[in-house]
Coordinates of all heavy atoms in Angstrom, one line a residue:
M177 N -75.0 161.1 24.9 CA -73.7 161.0 25.4 C -73.6 159.6 26.1 O -74.4 159.3 26.9 CB -73.4 162.1 26.4 CG -72.1 162.1 27.0 SD -71.8 163.6 28.0 CE -71.0 162.9 29.4
K178 N -72.5 158.9 25.9 CA -72.3 157.6 26.5 C -71.8 157.8 27.9 O -71.0 158.6 28.2 CB -71.3 156.9 25.7 CG -71.2 155.4 26.1 CD -70.3 154.6 25.2 CE -70.2 153.2 25.7 NZ -69.4 152.4 24.9
K179 N -72.4 157.1 28.9 CA -72.1 157.2 30.3 C -71.0 156.1 30.6 O -70.8 155.1 30.0 CB -73.3 156.9 31.1 CG -74.3 158.0 31.0 CD -75.5 157.7 32.0 CE -76.5 158.8 31.9 NZ -77.6 158.6 32.9
L180 N -70.3 156.5 31.7 CA -69.3 155.5 32.2 C -70.0 154.3 32.9 O -71.1 154.5 33.4 CB -68.4 156.2 33.2 CG -67.4 157.3 32.7 CD1 -66.7 158.0 33.8 CD2 -66.4 156.7 31.8
P181 N -69.4 153.2 32.9 CA -69.9 152.0 33.6 C -70.0 152.3 35.1 O -69.2 153.1 35.7 CB -68.9 150.9 33.3 CG -68.2 151.3 32.1 CD -68.1 152.8 32.2
A182 N -70.9 151.6 35.8 CA -71.1 151.8 37.2 C -69.9 151.5 38.1 O -69.7 152.1 39.1 CB -72.3 150.9 37.7
R183 N -69.0 150.7 37.6 CA -67.8 150.4 38.4 C -66.9 151.6 38.6 O -66.1 151.6 39.5 CB -67.0 149.3 37.7 CG -66.3 149.6 36.4 CD -65.5 148.4 35.8 NE -64.9 148.8 34.6 CZ -65.3 148.6 33.4 NH1 -66.5 148.1 33.3 NH2 -64.7 149.0 32.4
Y184 N -67.1 152.7 37.9 CA -66.3 153.9 38.0 C -66.9 154.9 39.0 O -66.4 155.9 39.3 CB -66.1 154.6 36.7 CG -65.3 153.9 35.7 CD1 -65.8 153.3 34.6 CD2 -63.9 153.8 36.0 CE1 -65.0 152.6 33.7 CE2 -63.1 153.1 35.1 CZ -63.6 152.5 34.0 OH -62.8 151.8 33.1
H185 N -68.1 154.5 39.6 CA -68.8 155.4 40.5 C -67.9 155.8 41.7 O -67.9 157.0 42.0 CB -70.1 154.8 41.0 CG -70.9 155.7 41.8 ND1 -70.8 155.7 43.2 CD2 -71.8 156.6 41.5 CE1 -71.6 156.7 43.7 NE2 -72.2 157.2 42.7
R186 N -67.3 154.9 42.3 CA -66.5 155.2 43.5 C -65.4 156.2 43.2 O -65.1 157.1 43.9 CB -65.9 153.9 44.1 CG -65.1 154.1 45.4 CD -64.7 152.8 45.9 NE -63.7 152.9 46.9 CZ -62.9 152.0 47.4 NH1 -63.1 150.7 47.0 NH2 -62.0 152.2 48.3
R187 N -64.7 155.9 42.1 CA -63.6 156.8 41.7 C -64.1 158.2 41.3 O -63.5 159.2 41.7 CB -62.8 156.2 40.5 CG -62.0 155.0 40.9 CD -61.2 154.5 39.7 NE -60.6 153.3 40.1 CZ -60.7 152.1 39.4 NH1 -61.3 152.1 38.3 NH2 -60.0 151.1 39.8
A188 N -65.2 158.2 40.6 CA -65.7 159.5 40.2 C -66.2 160.3 41.4 O -66.0 161.6 41.4 CB -66.8 159.3 39.1
L189 N -66.8 159.7 42.3 CA -67.3 160.4 43.5 C -66.2 160.9 44.3 O -66.2 162.1 44.7 CB -68.1 159.4 44.4 CG -68.8 160.0 45.6 CD1 -69.8 161.1 45.2 CD2 -69.5 159.0 46.4
A190 N -65.1 160.2 44.5 CA -63.9 160.7 45.2 C -63.2 161.8 44.5 O -62.9 162.8 45.1 CB -62.9 159.5 45.4
L191 N -63.1 161.7 43.2 CA -62.5 162.8 42.4 C -63.3 164.1 42.4 O -62.8 165.1 42.6 CB -62.2 162.3 41.0 CG -61.1 161.4 40.7 CD1 -61.1 160.8 39.3 CD2 -59.8 162.0 41.1
G192 N -64.6 163.9 42.2 CA -65.5 165.1 42.1 C -65.6 165.8 43.4 O -65.5 167.0 43.5
T193 N -65.8 165.0 44.5 CA -65.9 165.6 45.8 C -64.6 166.3 46.2 O -64.6 167.5 46.7 CB -66.3 164.6 46.9 OG1 -67.5 163.9 46.5 CG2 -66.5 165.2 48.3
S194 N -63.5 165.7 46.1 CA -62.2 166.2 46.5 C -61.9 167.5 45.6 O -61.4 168.4 46.0 CB -61.1 165.2 46.4 OG -60.9 164.7 45.1
F195 N -62.3 167.4 44.3 CA -62.0 168.5 43.4 C -62.7 169.8 43.9 O -62.1 170.8 44.0 CB -62.6 168.1 42.0 CG -62.4 169.2 40.9 CD1 -61.2 169.1 40.2 CD2 -63.3 170.1 40.7 CE1 -61.0 170.1 39.1 CE2 -63.1 171.1 39.7 CZ -62.0 171.0 38.9
F196 N -64.0 169.7 44.2 CA -64.7 170.9 44.6 C -64.4 171.4 46.0 O -64.3 172.6 46.3 CB -66.2 170.7 44.4 CG -66.6 170.7 43.0 CD1 -67.0 169.6 42.4 CD2 -66.6 171.9 42.2 CE1 -67.4 169.5 41.0 CE2 -66.9 171.9 40.9 CZ -67.3 170.7 40.3
M197 N -64.2 170.4 46.9 CA -63.9 170.8 48.3 C -62.6 171.5 48.4 O -62.4 172.5 49.1 CB -64.1 169.6 49.2 CG -65.5 169.1 49.4 SD -66.6 170.5 50.1 CE -65.8 170.8 51.7
T198 N -61.5 170.9 47.8 CA -60.2 171.5 47.9 C -60.2 172.8 47.1 O -59.5 173.7 47.6 CB -59.1 170.5 47.3 OG1 -59.4 170.2 45.9 CG2 -59.0 169.3 48.2
F199 N -60.9 173.0 46.1 CA -61.0 174.2 45.4 C -61.5 175.3 46.3 O -60.9 176.4 46.4 CB -61.9 174.1 44.1 CG -62.0 175.4 43.3 CD1 -61.0 175.8 42.5 CD2 -63.2 176.1 43.5 CE1 -61.2 177.0 41.7 CE2 -63.3 177.3 42.7 CZ -62.3 177.7 41.9
L200 N -62.6 175.1 47.0 CA -63.2 176.1 47.8 C -62.4 176.3 49.1 O -62.1 177.5 49.4 CB -64.6 175.6 48.3 CG -65.6 175.6 47.2 CD1 -66.9 174.9 47.7 CD2 -65.9 177.0 46.6
V201 N -61.9 175.3 49.7 CA -61.2 175.5 51.0 C -59.8 176.1 50.7 O -59.4 177.0 51.5 CB -61.0 174.1 51.7 CG1 -60.0 174.2 52.9 CG2 -62.3 173.6 52.2
S202 N -59.1 175.7 49.7 CA -57.8 176.4 49.4 C -58.0 177.8 49.0 O -57.2 178.7 49.3 CB -57.0 175.6 48.3 OG -57.7 175.6 47.1
G203 N -59.1 178.1 48.3 CA -59.4 179.5 47.9 C -59.7 180.4 49.2 O -59.1 181.5 49.3
V204 N -60.5 179.9 50.1 CA -60.7 180.6 51.3 C -59.5 180.8 52.1 O -59.2 181.9 52.6 CB -61.8 179.9 52.2 CG1 -62.0 180.5 53.5 CG2 -63.2 180.0 51.4
A205 N -58.7 179.7 52.3 CA -57.5 179.8 53.1 C -56.5 180.8 52.4 O -55.8 181.6 53.1 CB -56.8 178.4 53.2
T206 N -56.3 180.7 51.1 CA -55.4 181.6 50.4 C -55.8 183.1 50.6 O -55.0 184.0 50.8 CB -55.3 181.2 48.9 OG1 -54.9 179.9 48.9 CG2 -54.2 182.1 48.2
Y207 N -57.1 183.3 50.4 CA -57.7 184.7 50.6 C -57.4 185.2 52.0 O -57.0 186.3 52.2 CB -59.2 184.7 50.2 CG -59.8 186.0 50.6 CD1 -59.6 187.1 49.8 CD2 -60.6 186.2 51.7 CE1 -60.1 188.4 50.1 CE2 -61.1 187.4 52.0 CZ -60.9 188.5 51.2 OH -61.5 189.7 51.5
R208 N -57.6 184.3 53.0 CA -57.4 184.7 54.4 C -55.9 185.1 54.6 O -55.7 186.0 55.4 CB -57.8 183.6 55.3 CG -59.2 183.2 55.3 CD -60.1 183.9 56.3 NE -59.6 183.7 57.6 CZ -59.6 184.6 58.6 NH1 -60.1 185.8 58.4 NH2 -59.2 184.3 59.8
V209 N -55.0 184.5 54.0 CA -53.6 184.8 54.2 C -53.2 186.0 53.3 O -52.5 186.9 53.8 CB -52.7 183.6 53.8 CG1 -51.2 184.0 53.8 CG2 -53.0 182.5 54.8
L210 N -53.5 186.1 52.1 CA -53.0 187.1 51.1 C -54.0 188.3 50.9 O -53.6 189.3 50.5 CB -52.7 186.5 49.8 CG -51.6 185.4 49.7 CD1 -51.5 184.9 48.3 CD2 -50.3 186.0 50.2
G211 N -55.3 188.0 51.1 CA -56.3 189.0 50.7 C -56.3 189.1 49.1 O -55.9 188.1 48.5
W212 N -56.9 190.1 48.6 CA -56.9 190.2 47.1 C -55.6 190.8 46.6 O -55.5 191.9 46.1 CB -58.1 191.1 46.6 CG -59.4 190.4 46.8 CD1 -60.4 190.7 47.7 CD2 -59.8 189.2 46.1 NE1 -61.4 189.8 47.6 CE2 -61.1 188.9 46.6 CE3 -59.3 188.4 45.1 CZ2 -61.9 187.8 46.2 CZ3 -60.0 187.3 44.7 CH2 -61.3 187.1 45.2
D213 N -54.6 190.0 46.7 CA -53.2 190.4 46.2 C -53.0 189.9 44.8 O -53.8 189.1 44.3 CB -52.2 189.7 47.2 CG -50.8 190.1 46.9 OD1 -50.4 191.1 47.6 OD2 -50.1 189.5 46.1
K214 N -52.0 190.5 44.1 CA -51.7 190.1 42.8 C -51.3 188.7 42.6 O -51.6 188.0 41.6 CB -50.5 191.0 42.2 CG -50.9 192.4 42.0 CD -49.7 193.2 41.5 CE -50.0 194.7 41.4 NZ -48.9 195.5 41.0
K215 N -50.7 188.1 43.7 CA -50.3 186.7 43.6 C -51.4 185.7 44.1 O -51.2 184.5 44.1 CB -49.1 186.5 44.6 CG -47.9 187.3 44.2 CD -46.8 186.9 45.1 CE -45.5 187.8 44.8 NZ -44.5 187.4 45.8
M216 N -52.5 186.3 44.5 CA -53.5 185.4 45.1 C -54.0 184.3 44.1 O -54.1 183.1 44.5 CB -54.8 186.3 45.5 CG -55.7 185.6 46.4 SD -57.2 185.1 45.6 CE -58.1 184.4 46.9
L217 N -54.3 184.6 42.9 CA -54.8 183.6 42.0 C -53.7 182.5 41.7 O -54.1 181.3 41.8 CB -55.2 184.2 40.6 CG -55.9 183.2 39.7 CD1 -57.2 182.6 40.3 CD2 -56.2 183.9 38.4
T218 N -52.5 182.9 41.4 CA -51.5 181.8 41.2 C -51.2 181.0 42.4 O -51.0 179.8 42.3 CB -50.2 182.5 40.6 OG1 -49.7 183.5 41.5 CG2 -50.4 183.1 39.2
T219 N -51.1 181.7 43.6 CA -50.9 180.9 44.8 C -52.0 180.0 45.1 O -51.8 178.8 45.5 CB -50.7 181.9 46.0 OG1 -49.6 182.8 45.7 CG2 -50.4 181.2 47.3
W220 N -53.2 180.5 44.9 CA -54.4 179.6 45.1 C -54.4 178.4 44.2 O -54.6 177.3 44.7 CB -55.7 180.5 44.9 CG -57.0 179.7 45.0 CD1 -57.2 178.5 45.5 CD2 -58.2 180.2 44.5 NE1 -58.5 178.2 45.4 CE2 -59.2 179.2 44.8 CE3 -58.7 181.4 43.9 CZ2 -60.5 179.4 44.5 CZ3 -60.0 181.5 43.6 CH2 -60.9 180.5 43.9
M221 N -54.1 178.6 42.9 CA -54.1 177.4 42.0 C -53.0 176.4 42.4 O -53.2 175.2 42.3 CB -53.9 177.9 40.6 CG -55.1 178.7 40.0 SD -56.7 177.7 40.0 CE -57.6 178.6 41.3
A222 N -51.9 176.9 42.8 CA -50.8 176.0 43.2 C -51.2 175.3 44.5 O -51.0 174.0 44.6 CB -49.5 176.8 43.4
S223 N -51.7 176.0 45.4 CA -52.2 175.3 46.7 C -53.3 174.3 46.4 O -53.3 173.2 47.0 CB -52.7 176.4 47.6 OG -51.7 177.2 48.0
W224 N -54.2 174.7 45.5 CA -55.3 173.8 45.1 C -54.8 172.5 44.5 O -55.2 171.4 44.9 CB -56.2 174.5 44.2 CG -57.4 173.6 43.7 CD1 -58.1 172.7 44.4 CD2 -58.0 173.7 42.4 NE1 -59.1 172.2 43.6 CE2 -59.0 172.8 42.4 CE3 -57.7 174.5 41.3 CZ2 -59.8 172.6 41.3 CZ3 -58.5 174.2 40.2 CH2 -59.5 173.3 40.2
M225 N -53.9 172.6 43.6 CA -53.4 171.3 42.9 C -52.7 170.4 43.9 O -52.8 169.2 43.9 CB -52.4 171.7 41.8 CG -53.1 172.3 40.6 SD -54.2 171.1 39.8 CE -55.8 171.7 40.2
I226 N -51.9 171.0 44.8 CA -51.2 170.2 45.8 C -52.3 169.5 46.8 O -52.2 168.3 47.0 CB -50.2 171.1 46.7 CG1 -49.1 171.5 45.8 CG2 -49.7 170.3 47.9 CD1 -48.2 172.6 46.4
S227 N -53.2 170.3 47.2 CA -54.2 169.7 48.1 C -55.1 168.7 47.4 O -55.5 167.7 48.0 CB -55.1 170.9 48.7 OG -55.8 171.6 47.8
W228 N -55.4 168.9 46.2 CA -56.2 167.9 45.4 C -55.4 166.6 45.2 O -56.0 165.5 45.3 CB -56.7 168.5 44.1 CG -57.7 167.7 43.4 CD1 -58.7 167.0 44.0 CD2 -57.9 167.5 42.0 NE1 -59.5 166.3 43.1 CE2 -59.0 166.6 41.8 CE3 -57.2 167.9 40.9 CZ2 -59.4 166.2 40.6 CZ3 -57.6 167.5 39.7 CH2 -58.7 166.6 39.5
A229 N -54.1 166.8 45.0 CA -53.3 165.6 44.8 C -53.3 164.7 46.0 O -53.2 163.5 46.0 CB -51.9 166.0 44.4
I230 N -53.4 165.3 47.2 CA -53.4 164.6 48.5 C -54.9 164.2 48.8 O -55.1 163.0 49.2 CB -52.9 165.5 49.6 CG1 -51.4 165.7 49.3 CG2 -53.1 164.8 51.0 CD1 -50.8 166.8 50.2
A231 N -55.8 165.0 48.5 CA -57.2 164.7 48.9 C -57.9 163.6 48.1 O -58.6 162.8 48.6 CB -58.1 166.0 48.8
A232 N -57.6 163.6 46.8 CA -58.3 162.6 45.9 C -58.0 161.2 46.3 O -59.0 160.4 46.5 CB -58.0 162.9 44.5
P233 N -56.8 160.8 46.5 CA -56.5 159.4 46.9 C -57.0 159.1 48.3 O -57.5 158.0 48.6 CB -55.0 159.2 46.8 CG -54.5 160.4 46.1 CD -55.5 161.5 46.1
T234 N -56.9 160.1 49.2 CA -57.4 160.0 50.5 C -58.9 159.7 50.5 O -59.4 158.8 51.2 CB -57.1 161.2 51.4 OG1 -55.7 161.4 51.4 CG2 -57.6 161.1 52.8
M235 N -59.6 160.5 49.8 CA -61.1 160.3 49.7 C -61.4 158.9 49.1 O -62.4 158.3 49.6 CB -61.7 161.4 48.7 CG -61.7 162.8 49.3 SD -63.0 163.0 50.5 CE -64.5 162.9 49.6
Y236 N -60.7 158.5 48.2 CA -60.9 157.2 47.6 C -60.9 156.1 48.6 O -61.7 155.1 48.6 CB -59.9 156.9 46.4 CG -60.1 155.6 45.7 CD1 -61.2 155.4 44.9 CD2 -59.3 154.5 46.0 CE1 -61.4 154.2 44.2 CE2 -59.4 153.3 45.4 CZ -60.5 153.2 44.5 OH -60.7 151.9 43.9
F237 N -59.9 156.1 49.5 CA -59.7 155.1 50.5 C -60.5 155.3 51.7 O -60.8 154.3 52.4 CB -58.2 154.9 50.8 CG -57.4 154.4 49.6 CD1 -56.6 155.2 48.9 CD2 -57.6 153.0 49.2 CE1 -55.8 154.7 47.8 CE2 -56.9 152.5 48.1 CZ -56.0 153.3 47.4
V238 N -60.7 156.5 52.1 CA -61.4 156.8 53.4 C -62.9 156.8 53.3 O -63.6 156.4 54.2 CB -60.9 158.2 54.0 CG1 -61.7 158.6 55.2 CG2 -59.4 158.0 54.3
M239 N -63.5 157.2 52.1 CA -64.9 157.3 52.0 C -65.6 156.0 52.3 O -66.7 156.0 53.0 CB -65.3 157.7 50.5 CG -66.7 158.2 50.5 SD -67.1 158.9 48.9 CE -66.1 160.3 48.8
P240 N -65.2 154.8 51.9 CA -65.9 153.6 52.4 C -65.9 153.4 53.9 O -66.9 152.9 54.5 CB -65.1 152.4 51.7 CG -64.4 153.1 50.5 CD -64.1 154.5 51.0
L241 N -64.8 153.7 54.5 CA -64.7 153.6 56.0 C -65.7 154.6 56.6 O -66.4 154.2 57.6 CB -63.3 153.9 56.5 CG -63.1 154.0 58.0 CD1 -63.3 152.6 58.6 CD2 -61.7 154.5 58.3
V242 N -65.8 155.8 56.2 CA -66.7 156.8 56.7 C -68.1 156.3 56.4 O -69.0 156.4 57.3 CB -66.5 158.2 56.1 CG1 -67.5 159.2 56.5 CG2 -65.1 158.7 56.5
R243 N -68.4 155.8 55.3 CA -69.8 155.3 55.0 C -70.2 154.2 55.9 O -71.3 154.2 56.4 CB -69.8 154.8 53.5 CG -71.2 154.4 53.1 CD -71.3 154.1 51.6 NE -71.1 155.3 50.8 CZ -70.3 155.4 49.8 NH1 -69.5 154.4 49.4 NH2 -70.2 156.5 49.1
R244 N -69.3 153.2 56.2 CA -69.7 152.2 57.1 C -69.9 152.7 58.5 O -70.8 152.2 59.2 CB -68.6 151.1 57.1 CG -68.6 150.2 55.9 CD -67.7 149.0 56.0 NE -66.3 149.3 56.2 CZ -65.4 149.5 55.3 NH1 -65.8 149.4 54.0 NH2 -64.2 149.8 55.6
T245 N -69.0 153.6 58.9 CA -69.2 154.2 60.3 C -70.5 154.9 60.4 O -71.2 154.7 61.4 CB -68.0 155.1 60.6 OG1 -66.8 154.4 60.4 CG2 -68.1 155.7 62.0
I246 N -70.8 155.7 59.5 CA -72.1 156.5 59.5 C -73.3 155.5 59.5 O -74.3 155.8 60.2 CB -72.2 157.5 58.4 CG1 -71.2 158.6 58.6 CG2 -73.6 158.0 58.2 CD1 -71.0 159.6 57.5
D247 N -73.2 154.5 58.7 CA -74.3 153.5 58.7 C -74.6 152.9 60.0 O -75.7 152.4 60.2 CB -74.0 152.4 57.6 CG -74.1 152.8 56.2 OD1 -74.7 153.9 56.0 OD2 -73.6 152.1 55.3
R248 N -73.6 152.8 60.9 CA -73.9 152.3 62.2 C -74.7 153.2 63.1 O -75.3 152.7 64.1 CB -72.5 152.1 63.0 CG -71.7 151.0 62.4 CD -70.4 150.8 63.1 NE -69.6 149.8 62.5 CZ -68.4 149.5 62.9 NH1 -67.8 150.2 63.9 NH2 -67.7 148.5 62.3
F249 N -74.7 154.5 62.7 CA -75.5 155.4 63.6 C -76.8 156.0 62.9 O -77.5 156.7 63.6 CB -74.5 156.6 63.9 CG -73.3 156.3 64.7 CD1 -72.1 156.1 64.0 CD2 -73.4 156.0 66.0 CE1 -71.0 155.8 64.7 CE2 -72.3 155.6 66.7 CZ -71.1 155.5 66.1
I250 N -77.0 155.7 61.7 CA -78.2 156.2 61.0 C -79.0 155.0 60.5 O -78.5 154.1 59.8 CB -77.7 157.1 59.8 CG1 -77.0 158.3 60.3 CG2 -79.0 157.5 59.0 CD1 -76.5 159.2 59.2
E251 N -80.3 155.1 60.8 CA -81.2 154.0 60.5 C -81.5 154.1 59.0 O -81.7 155.2 58.4 CB -82.5 154.2 61.3 CG -83.5 153.1 61.0 CD -84.7 153.3 61.9 OE1 -84.6 153.8 63.0 OE2 -85.8 153.0 61.4
Q252 N -81.5 153.0 58.3 CA -81.7 152.9 56.9 C -83.2 152.9 56.6 O -84.0 152.3 57.4 CB -81.1 151.6 56.3 CG -79.6 151.6 56.5 CD -78.9 152.7 55.7 OE1 -79.2 153.0 54.6 NE2 -78.0 153.4 56.4
A253 N -83.6 153.6 55.6 CA -85.1 153.7 55.3 C -85.6 152.4 54.7 O -85.1 151.6 54.2 CB -85.3 154.8 54.3

């Protein structure tokens, strides 16, 4: 399988991280509000898509800032 070039790493990391985190968090939040209701799955998926649309670009732009901030407090090996 052919791999993507290294220049896509930042985008892929932001997309992948935001994808899984918003999936889990929106699922927990939806369950807390609705419980195992008939509408739970459709409401969860709608909430997840909205949250992912916001989280992915945010992660893309915020991750470098967070990385630099953390680097100030953690000693490099």
Side-chain angles (χ1 to χ4, degrees):
M177 182 173 141
K178 189 173 180 178
K179 293 184 178 184
L180 292 172
R183 69 179 182 268
Y184 291 110
H185 184 268
R186 181 177 167 193
R187 290 183 187 128
L189 184 62
L191 285 172
T193 302
S194 63
F195 182 90
F196 288 108
M197 288 304 296
T198 56
F199 179 79
L200 293 172
V201 171
S202 64
V204 169
T206 304
Y207 173 75
R208 297 266 302 144
V209 171
L210 297 178
W212 287 111
D213 188 87
K214 292 179 182 178
K215 296 181 185 179
M216 197 253 183
L217 185 61
T218 57
T219 304
W220 176 14
M221 292 300 112
S223 297
W224 176 38
M225 288 296 110
I226 293 167
S227 62
W228 191 37
I230 294 167
T234 302
M235 289 285 291
Y236 180 75
F237 291 108
V238 172
M239 198 175 293
L241 174 65
V242 172
R243 184 176 288 132
R244 284 191 302 270
T245 303
I246 289 172
D247 285 346
R248 291 181 182 172
F249 298 102
I250 297 177
E251 185 176 322
Q252 299 298 314

